[in-house]
Amino acid sequence: MSDDAMSQTSKSPTDLESLARELMSAYEEGRMVDVPFSARAGFDLDTAYALEARLKEMRRAAGHKAVGRKVGYANKAMWRVLKLETLVWAHMYDDTVHSSNNNSATLTLAHPRSLKIEPEIVFGLKDSVGEGSDAAGTLAATDWLALGFEIIDCPYPEFKFQPSDFVASFGLHAALVIGEKMKVHPDLIPKLVEELSRFKVRMSRSGEFVEEGSGKNALKSPALCLAELGAAIARRFPDQPLSPGEIVSSGTLTAGHPTAKGDLWTAAVEGISLPSLTLQLT
């Protein structure tokens, strides 16, 4: 079969369905996907988003509602390396997004494969976010923000994948744990615009310091990352904008750190009025 014919076949509805079944089975059973989809003929970012949409339908049919979206590649240096025009995203669900109790949580994952933990700023929206928003505009559309832990689970060997693989595999999303929510009142917005671009976060595991990150690591500010996400979604899917009620996990503030059962993680922030968040993996 020619490369062109293989490309057309890989994008056919029948083949998309088989890819969806393969990925969903691996997700539910905790199995690896030995050959990343990007290594298969004709699989590109457009196909990945079509597959992500099919997986969303499958999750809905199983009784799970999409509650928001998570960001990938909130780093413009990576865009140049990977030939991306913007960041990428995938949906999160009602059984994968969790609230902490007094800024402490325990989390059990049924079928972990290759886990990493990332501290992120999480937004809850009260209005749509589309093209043309700046940091202040996105905060005006925000009901609340919080510190969160994103747990990612990579189904690909040695954590090697392309952006299309990321999108197709739920954005590597395994879970999101949300800390105490700060209500975004209009009079707080100018201060938050400044703080989100410069605050610090310190990650510790079982009391041992691991890494310090900053708000600037997510496209110079998590608020700007949210604006970029809203614009990117509006361009690709104008009928599916970021909407009121959605939760957005806006990109990691440090490197992702390998984690496993028994780890106790703490993220402590400086320069913004958010409390520390602690997570125990059980």
Side-chain angles (χ1 to χ4, degrees), residues 138-201:
T138 58
L139 288 171
T142 297
D143 182 29
W144 54 264
L145 61 83
L147 182 63
F149 281 128
E150 170 79 16
I151 307 297
I152 61 175
D153 187 12
C154 184
Y156 307 111
E158 300 179 3
F159 244 89
K160 293 182 179 179
F161 55 87
Q162 294 297 310
S164 58
D165 300 309
F166 173 96
V167 170
S169 57
F170 298 100
L172 310 187
H173 174 72
L176 174 68
V177 176
I178 303 173
E180 182 179 318
K181 297 172 182 176
M182 175 198 295
K183 197 77 170 177
V184 180
H185 298 291
D187 59 335
L188 288 179
I189 289 176
K191 181 183 179 184
L192 286 172
V193 168
E194 295 297 321
E195 291 178 341
L196 284 169
S197 66
R198 64 172 187 254
F199 79 94
K200 304 292 185 183
V201 59

Side-chain angles (χ1 to χ4, degrees), residues 48-58 60 91 237 240:
Y49 278 115
L51 178 53
E52 201 267 348
R54 179 66 187 112
L55 291 169
K56 181 184 174 187
E57 292 175 357
M58 294 170 74
R60 183 172 62 238
H91 284 87
F237 300 113
Q240 301 174 34

Side-chain angles (χ1 to χ4, degrees), residues 3-17:
D3 287 346
D4 286 345
M6 290 179 69
S7 177
Q8 291 171 5
T9 300
S10 71
K11 294 184 182 182
S12 70
T14 300
D15 195 62
L16 193 67
E17 189 68 20

